[in-house]
């Protein structure tokens, strides 16, 4: 049984940083896709960042500010969030796929940011950014 447990959320001021962690159990790390999603009240869950093998993808809204990484030896997925903005306020979820999930266009393939491509989900950790 796969379990994903997020931590690291909290309340910060705009411009500050947070690092989210996701500890996975019952799941084989490696090249399989893993990602971070978020959902603000009244909105749909959206992909923030994902990693598949050595490939990463980011939502346009977080490019240059967020960095996804994984430590396969510890079974931990991270999301480093810098220069946080009030619009980053949301519940953040860790997700894992049973395999490699990519989306291809124009002859290039990218790590998926689609919710439907992920099979396992954590309970979420709240991030609140005040101005």
């Amino acid at each position: 049984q796969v379990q994903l447990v997020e931590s690291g959320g909290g309340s910060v001021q705009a411009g500050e940083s947070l690092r989210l962690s996701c500890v996975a159990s019952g799941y084989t790390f490696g090249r399989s896709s893993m990602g971070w999603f978020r959902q603000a009240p009244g909105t749909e869950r959206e992909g923030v960042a994902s990693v598949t093998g050595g490939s990463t993808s980011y939502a346009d809204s977080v490019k240059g500010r967020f960095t996804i990484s994984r430590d396969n030896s510890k079974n931990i997925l991270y999301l480093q969030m810098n220069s946080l903005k009030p619009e980053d306020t949301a519940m953040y979820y860790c997700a894992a796929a049973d395999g490699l999930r990519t989306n291809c266009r124009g002859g290039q393939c990218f790590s998926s940011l689609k919710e439907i491509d992920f099979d396992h989900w954590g309970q979420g950790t709240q991030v609140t950014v005040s101005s």
Side-chain angles (χ1 to χ4, degrees), residues 96-116:
D98 291 331
L100 281 67
R101 303 286 184 262
T102 58
N103 304 125
C104 301
R105 59 179 182 272
Q108 286 188 302
C109 295
F110 306 88
S111 181
S112 176
L113 284 173
K114 295 182 179 179
E115 184 177 355
I116 196 172

Side-chain angles (χ1 to χ4, degrees), residues 44-107:
E44 293 186 353
R45 191 153 56 182
E46 64 169 346
V48 175
S50 71
V51 56
T52 300
S55 172
T56 56
S57 293
Y58 296 93
D60 288 343
S61 59
V62 307
K63 281 181 181 176
R65 300 188 298 122
F66 290 13
T67 303
I68 188 171
S69 62
R70 59 199 294 174
D71 186 334
N72 287 1
S73 66
K74 297 180 180 178
N75 277 19
I76 302 178
L77 180 73
Y78 299 102
L79 184 68
Q80 178 67 44
M81 305 186 295
N82 298 329
S83 302
L84 282 162
K85 303 176 180 180
E87 51 264 44
D88 295 319
T89 295
M91 183 72 78
Y92 283 71
Y93 299 91
C94 173
D98 291 331
L100 281 67
R101 303 286 184 262
T102 58
N103 304 125
C104 301
R105 59 179 182 272

